[in-house]
Amino acid sequence: MPKTEKIVINTAPLISIVAALGDLEVLRSLYAQVLVPFEVCQEIIAGGTSGFAVPEFEAANWLEKSPTPLNISPLLLNSLDLGEATVIQLALNQNIQTVCIDETVGRRIARLSSLSLTGSIGIFLRAKQEGYPIIMQQAIERMKNKGIRLSDTVIHFALQQAGETS
């Protein structure tokens, strides 16, 4: 099946994917276009205290990294952090239906904005379904080892959907 879908992605899912899989190639295999707003690029490149995921992000030259900041709706900025607000704004500006956000409030606002939604776990489940070699338990453990927090509910859901529960 040809890849036609576009997605706009936030910082946390990019970091989670690198933590779980070691690179961002899964996104290239699933989507025709992966857009990263300027503000998300800046968050990733800033790298926190460890610089984690910066080399993998910079190596993914197929990502469509916006070169300039967006004008963001004050409503989005009042409700969300800068990354989530720009992901939703870019999707709305370019009429892209799907966003990738992990944070609860960002997900809620995306739904209220009539956008389709996925997160890092959703990316892994779709990839596994399409034949990408992901062992969900290992992906979750790698994420947790890098300090990425997942609720027990999300972990149980992911393992159940991946067919990895006993």
Side-chain angles (χ1 to χ4, degrees):
M1 178 164 70
K3 301 178 297 184
T4 58
E5 192 175 356
K6 300 175 184 180
I7 191 167
V8 183
I9 193 165
N10 194 25
T11 308
L14 287 166
I15 291 170
S16 294
I17 292 167
V18 171
L21 304 178
D23 60 34
L24 295 167
E25 289 299 314
V26 68
L27 292 169
R28 182 160 49 173
S29 74
L30 295 177
Y31 298 98
Q33 285 182 283
V34 181
L35 289 86
V36 185
F38 175 82
E39 295 80 357
V40 170
C41 293
Q42 297 305 301
E43 287 179 359
I44 294 278
I45 291 167
T49 56
S50 68
F52 181 74
V54 173
E56 294 83 358
F57 179 74
E58 289 178 340
N61 57 9
W62 47 268
L63 289 172
E64 293 189 27
K65 302 170 186 175
S66 298
T68 56
L70 282 170
N71 283 327
I72 305 162
S73 159
L75 180 64
L76 291 174
L77 278 177
N78 288 335
S79 307
L80 302 171
D81 76 16
L82 186 59
E84 295 160 355
T86 60
V87 165
I88 292 170
Q89 189 70 64
L90 182 60
L92 294 172
N93 289 358
Q94 295 197 17
N95 199 27
I96 295 170
Q97 291 302 307
T98 306
V99 295
C100 184
I101 298 174
D102 282 348
E103 296 82 3
T104 304
V105 176
R107 293 172 71 84
R108 186 176 307 123
I109 300 294
R111 280 189 200 98
L112 290 171
S113 300
S114 299
L115 296 170
S116 298
L117 189 58
T118 192
S120 51
I121 296 295
I123 296 282
F124 300 149
L125 289 170
R126 177 176 169 182
K128 185 174 177 87
Q129 186 177 38
E130 293 188 18
Y132 204 88
I134 292 177
I135 299 170
M136 191 62 69
Q137 183 68 50
Q138 287 178 354
I140 289 169
E141 285 305 314
R142 289 184 193 126
M143 289 168 69
K144 287 167 62 177
N145 289 341
K146 288 292 183 185
I148 296 166
R149 295 174 301 208
L150 298 166
S151 71
D152 290 340
T153 303
V154 167
I155 292 170
H156 178 71
F157 172 81
L159 294 174
Q160 185 177 41
Q161 292 296 308
E164 295 183 24
T165 57
S166 50

